[in-house]
């Protein structure tokens, strides 16, 4: 998964998590608000209580009901009364129920009580909602407006539209801050009491909507004979109290609390997102800044350990989102480091090459210059034989300088990967036989014994014939040149498990001590003995090892003074990639 998709998935999951968290919090808070409102509303109006609250506060035993103190206190504070009636209509228990209600219930039953007594508001709960035969709890509360309506209508002369209030009725209206109005059939007020701030006439729609008032308790009575309507209103002070105490305060406080909590959640989410997405980016910006200053490794912590990885080598959790970017940065770091090291090697090689050329050319140039001055001097006449001897020395030194320059160039190209290797299917046995024969035909080595042995006469391998020939020439020539007369040089060829080509060059000559072995493949170890034109450039063994490595092979040597020397070369039989270096 690329970083773009990973970002989309991560952001989607995080947003979904936050959405569900916020939704859960909102639902929780509204549940708390609802419970608070219900609880506060119940304290002011017991009729708003839920069935579970009534059930928890009433105990039924042996056909009798007991009310808990909390329920009694609420009923008493609200001037209400409670009663528990069985399914058979028997009173199982009551609290502050008026005797008139009790006697009426016993005489007319529960239905008659609910239908005929409109001066009382009733609320009821079934103790077990799943059982239709369970007892019923009745909450009764005096309806002041209905009671006043019943009293006032008895004191009206409907024919003459006159009202003769008794002192008790007038006193009750005054105490309750109520009023009444008598309306004709057109809705005009024809008589009233304490209704100075009310309309003088009412439309049909206004009369029909009066009973829906939330601030006043209003009762009406229509006299069919005279088409007059009596309206009695008492301010519902409890409604204002409930509105202010049970709704406004809890809701306002809850909304404020929710707002503060949502703000804290947003603030926390911001810091969390900054930590989750921003902190890794800061580390990678630090990484890039280090690369720009030449520090080619990933950021480290205070313990000088990789800051992005655990000790077991796995990415830390907060960096896994940027896995692709981190991998690319790691590749870039390795590439820049490798390029820097390569530049250093090239610089060092160039300096060595220049230094080597200067050093190695100085002696033969001195010889050439010396002999040239001897020939051109006019103070002495050289014989033709002496002149030819000087010319031969000059020619040998020039040839040496040419070989030296070629070898130096070759080592420089190999070190910098600029030497092309062109592997091709080659008969190695035939290549070695040809090489051995060429050395046998060289009169300079007639005093040496040269042997060749091959386990198979058809050994095929993918090598570069030109440079592999150079390897063999260097090793065989060194074994022949630097050993005494009578030395036997044995060359053998074998294939190991059809995978590796093994070539061995062994001699029984003078051998080498440990110091010589340790320095054998270093440049210029044998030096440049310009007094002997056949001494070589001192780069042969260095070039040999470099060429073996280019063939993906290895070379090792074993030797002891007086016991001879053995070189062993291992090279893969199959093609090593067909690569060309450079």
């Amino acid at each position: 998964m690329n970083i773009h998709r990973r970002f989309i998935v991560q952001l989607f999951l995080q947003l979904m998590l936050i959405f569900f968290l916020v939704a859960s919090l909102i639902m929780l808070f509204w549940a708390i608000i609802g419970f608070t409102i219900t609880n506060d509303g119940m304290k002011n109006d017991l009729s708003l209580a839920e069935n579970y609250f009534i059930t928890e506060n009433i105990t039924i035993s042996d056909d009798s009901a007991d009310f808990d103190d909390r329920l009694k206190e609420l009923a008493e504070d609200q001037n209400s009364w409670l009663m528990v009636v069985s399914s058979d209509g028997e009173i199982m228990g009551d609290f502050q129920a008026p005797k008139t209600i009790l006697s009426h219930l016993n005489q007319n039953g529960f239905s008659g009580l609910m239908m005929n007594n409109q001066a009382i508001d009733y609320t009821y709960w079934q103790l077990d909602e799943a059982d239709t035969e369970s007892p019923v709890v009745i909450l009764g509360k005096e309806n002041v407006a209905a009671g006043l309506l019943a009293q006032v209508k008895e004191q009206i002369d409907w024919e003459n539209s006159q009202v003769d209030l008794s002192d008790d009725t007038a006193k009750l209206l005054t105490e309750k801050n109520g009023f009444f109005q008598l309306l004709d059939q057109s809705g005009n007020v024809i008589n009233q009491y304490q209704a100075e701030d009310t309309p003088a006439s009412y439309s049909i729609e206004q009369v029909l909507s009066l009973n829906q008032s939330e601030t006043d308790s209003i009762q009406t009575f229509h006299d069919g004979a005279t088409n007059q309507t009596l309206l009695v209103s008492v301010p519902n002070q409890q409604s204002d109290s409930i509105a202010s105490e049970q709704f406004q305060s809890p809701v306002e406080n809850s909304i404020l609390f929710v707002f503060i909590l949502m703000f804290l959640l947003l603030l926390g989410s911001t810091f969390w997102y900054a930590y989750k997405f921003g902190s890794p980016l800061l580390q990678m910006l630090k990484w890039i800044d280090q690369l720009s200053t030449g520090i080619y490794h990933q950021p480290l912590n205070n313990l000088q350990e990789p800051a992005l990885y655990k000790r077991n080598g796995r990415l830390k959790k907060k960096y896994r989102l940027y896995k692709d970017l981190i991998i690319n940065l790691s590749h870039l770091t390795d590439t820049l480091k490798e390029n820097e090291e390569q530049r250093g090697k090239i610089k060092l090689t160039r300096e060595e090459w220049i230094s080597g050329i200067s050093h190695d050319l100085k002696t033969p140039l001195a010889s050439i210059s010396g002999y040239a001055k001897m020939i051109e001097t006019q103070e002495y006449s050289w014989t033709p034989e002496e002149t030819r001897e000087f010319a031969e020395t000059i020619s040998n030194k020039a040839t040496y300088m040419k070989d030296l320059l070629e070898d130096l160039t070759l080592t420089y190209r190999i070190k910098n990967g600029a030497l092309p290797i062109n592997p091709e299917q080659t008969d190695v046995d035939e290549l070695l036989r040809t090489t051995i024969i060429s050395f046998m035909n060289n009169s300079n080595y007639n005093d040496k014994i040269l042997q060749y042995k091959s386990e198979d006469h058809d050994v095929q391998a993918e090598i570069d014939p030109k440079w592999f020939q150079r390897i063999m020439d260097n090793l065989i020539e060194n074994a022949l040149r630097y050993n005494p007369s009578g030395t036997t040089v044995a060359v053998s060829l074998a294939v190991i498990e059809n995978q590796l080509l093994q070539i061995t060059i062994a001699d029984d000559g003078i051998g080498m001590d440990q110091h010589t072995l340790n320095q054998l493949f270093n440049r210029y170890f044998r030096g440049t003995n310009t007094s002997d034109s056949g001494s070589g450039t001192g780069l042969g063994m260095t070039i040999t090892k470099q060429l073996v490595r280019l063939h993906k092979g290895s070379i090792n040597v074993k030797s002891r003074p007086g016991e001879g020397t053995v070189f062993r070369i291992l090279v893969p039989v199959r093609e090593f990639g067909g690569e060309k270096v450079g």
Side-chain angles (χ1 to χ4, degrees), residues 366-437:
S367 297
I368 292 173
S369 176
Y371 282 110
K373 286 183 179 181
M374 290 172 64
I375 292 174
E376 73 174 353
T377 182
Q378 297 179 359
E379 298 178 359
Y380 184 79
S381 295
W382 303 101
T383 65
E385 291 77 10
E386 290 176 327
T387 302
R388 282 193 292 272
E389 183 180 347
F390 295 161
E392 183 180 0
T393 302
I394 291 174
S395 177
N396 290 338
K397 298 304 179 183
T399 301
Y400 169 78
M401 292 173 64
K402 178 184 175 183
D403 293 341
L404 177 62
L405 288 173
E406 289 178 352
D407 285 353
L408 284 171
T409 301
L410 180 59
T411 59
Y412 181 79
R413 292 176 66 192
I414 293 175
K415 269 195 168 185
N416 290 280
L419 183 69
I421 295 296
N422 300 304
E424 60 183 60
Q425 195 73 15
T426 303
D427 188 338
V428 182
D429 176 64
E430 180 64 25
L431 184 147
L432 290 177
R433 287 181 184 276
T434 303
T435 304
I436 296 296
I437 292 173

Side-chain angles (χ1 to χ4, degrees), residues 290-323:
Q290 287 184 177
L291 294 179
S292 67
T293 58
I295 302 175
Y296 302 120
H297 60 73
Q298 62 174 276
L300 304 176
N301 57 23
N302 296 332
L303 300 176
Q304 298 302 304
E305 297 175 345
L308 280 62
Y309 291 88
K310 299 179 181 178
R311 293 186 176 179
N312 59 7
R314 296 186 61 187
L315 270 176
K316 293 180 180 178
K317 187 175 182 180
K318 65 179 179 179
Y319 296 107
R320 292 175 189 172
L321 177 62
Y322 302 93
K323 181 179 179 181

Side-chain angles (χ1 to χ4, degrees), residues 100-362:
T100 54
I101 298 296
L102 296 174
S103 61
H104 188 90
L105 181 63
N106 290 329
Q107 294 175 6
N108 302 299
F110 178 63
S111 299
L113 175 68
M114 300 290 287
M115 293 295 295
N116 296 324
N117 197 339
Q118 297 181 359
I120 297 178
D121 291 331
Y122 294 97
T123 305
Y124 71 94
W125 302 268
Q126 197 155 11
L127 288 179
D128 187 356
E129 294 179 333
D131 184 6
T132 57
E133 301 297 325
S134 67
V136 175
V137 180
I138 302 171
L139 172 68
K141 187 174 183 180
E142 181 184 4
N143 188 324
V144 176
L148 285 171
L149 177 68
Q151 293 182 35
V152 173
K153 75 177 182 178
E154 298 297 331
Q155 300 172 25
I156 296 178
D157 181 0
W158 296 97
E159 294 294 336
N160 298 315
S161 303
Q162 297 295 322
V163 181
D164 184 15
L165 289 181
S166 66
D167 293 339
D168 291 339
T169 302
K171 182 179 179 182
L172 186 57
L173 278 170
T174 302
E175 289 177 354
K176 300 299 183 180
N177 196 25
F179 69 89
F180 77 84
Q181 289 179 312
L182 185 61
L183 312 178
D184 62 16
Q185 61 182 358
S186 299
N188 298 318
V189 177
I190 56 178
N191 204 332
Q192 65 181 15
Y193 179 80
Q194 296 188 165
E196 290 77 11
D197 298 328
T198 58
S201 63
Y202 294 85
S203 64
I204 296 176
E205 291 79 7
Q206 287 177 315
V207 173
L208 293 175
S209 62
L210 287 174
N211 287 330
Q212 298 179 2
S213 174
E214 295 182 357
T215 59
D216 297 322
S217 178
I218 299 175
Q219 295 289 325
T220 59
F221 172 77
H222 180 73
D223 181 58
T226 61
N227 281 330
Q228 297 178 90
T229 301
L230 174 63
L231 183 152
V232 176
S233 175
V234 177
N236 192 355
Q237 298 176 353
Q238 191 178 37
S239 298
D240 296 335
S241 173
I242 293 174
S244 61
E245 295 180 7
Q246 93 177 28
F247 183 77
Q248 292 180 356
S249 179
V251 170
E252 289 176 357
N253 292 337
S254 299
I255 291 176
L256 179 61
F257 178 71
V258 170
F259 175 78
I260 293 174
L261 193 59
M262 292 294 290
F263 175 76
L264 293 176
L265 179 62
L266 177 62
L267 188 64
S269 300
T270 302
F271 281 105
W272 184 78
Y273 269 96
Y275 171 77
K276 181 175 179 62
F277 297 104
S279 177
L281 287 176
L282 289 177
Q283 284 289 351
M284 282 178 277
L285 287 174
K286 179 181 178 182
W287 191 349
I288 294 173
D289 183 63
Q290 287 184 177
L291 294 179
S292 67
T293 58
I295 302 175
Y296 302 120
H297 60 73
Q298 62 174 276
L300 304 176
N301 57 23
N302 296 332
L303 300 176
Q304 298 302 304
E305 297 175 345
L308 280 62
Y309 291 88
K310 299 179 181 178
R311 293 186 176 179
N312 59 7
R314 296 186 61 187
L315 270 176
K316 293 180 180 178
K317 187 175 182 180
K318 65 179 179 179
Y319 296 107
R320 292 175 189 172
L321 177 62
Y322 302 93
K323 181 179 179 181
D324 296 336
L325 180 58
I326 291 172
I327 291 174
N328 290 334
L329 279 176
S330 296
H331 290 331
L332 176 61
T333 301
D334 294 340
T335 301
L336 291 175
K337 185 177 181 180
E338 183 178 343
N339 290 343
E340 184 67 20
E341 292 175 351
Q342 188 68 19
R343 281 195 298 271
K345 290 179 180 179
I346 293 174
K347 181 180 179 181
L348 180 61
T349 303
R350 183 172 59 249
E351 292 175 353
E352 289 178 354
W353 190 76
I354 295 173
S355 175
I357 289 178
S358 300
H359 178 270
D360 294 339
L361 294 180
K362 193 175 294 183

Side-chain angles (χ1 to χ4, degrees), residues 57-91:
N57 288 277
I58 294 179
T59 303
I60 304 296
S61 61
D62 299 331
D63 295 329
S64 63
D66 293 325
F67 302 91
D68 290 353
D69 293 339
R70 184 182 180 190
L71 192 57
K72 290 180 180 179
E73 290 176 2
L74 290 174
E76 187 174 7
D77 292 341
Q78 298 176 24
N79 296 319
S80 303
W81 51 267
L82 291 163
M83 181 186 301
V84 179
V85 181
S86 68
S87 59
D88 298 329
E90 298 293 332
I91 299 175

Side-chain angles (χ1 to χ4, degrees), residues 411-477:
T411 59
Y412 181 79
R413 292 176 66 192
I414 293 175
K415 269 195 168 185
N416 290 280
L419 183 69
I421 295 296
N422 300 304
E424 60 183 60
Q425 195 73 15
T426 303
D427 188 338
V428 182
D429 176 64
E430 180 64 25
L431 184 147
L432 290 177
R433 287 181 184 276
T434 303
T435 304
I436 296 296
I437 292 173
S438 66
F439 279 106
M440 286 181 174
N441 294 331
N442 191 331
S443 60
N444 293 327
Y445 307 124
N446 289 337
D447 59 339
K448 309 293 193 314
I449 301 172
L450 191 58
Q451 299 175 348
Y452 174 67
K453 179 182 178 182
S454 175
E455 295 181 358
D456 191 341
H457 296 297
D458 185 19
V459 179
Q460 301 288 326
E462 293 191 4
I463 58 175
D464 187 314
K466 174 183 176 181
W467 298 117
F468 203 80
Q469 181 72 58
R470 178 69 178 268
I471 294 171
M472 295 296 101
D473 288 345
N474 286 350
L475 292 174
I476 296 174
E477 186 172 8

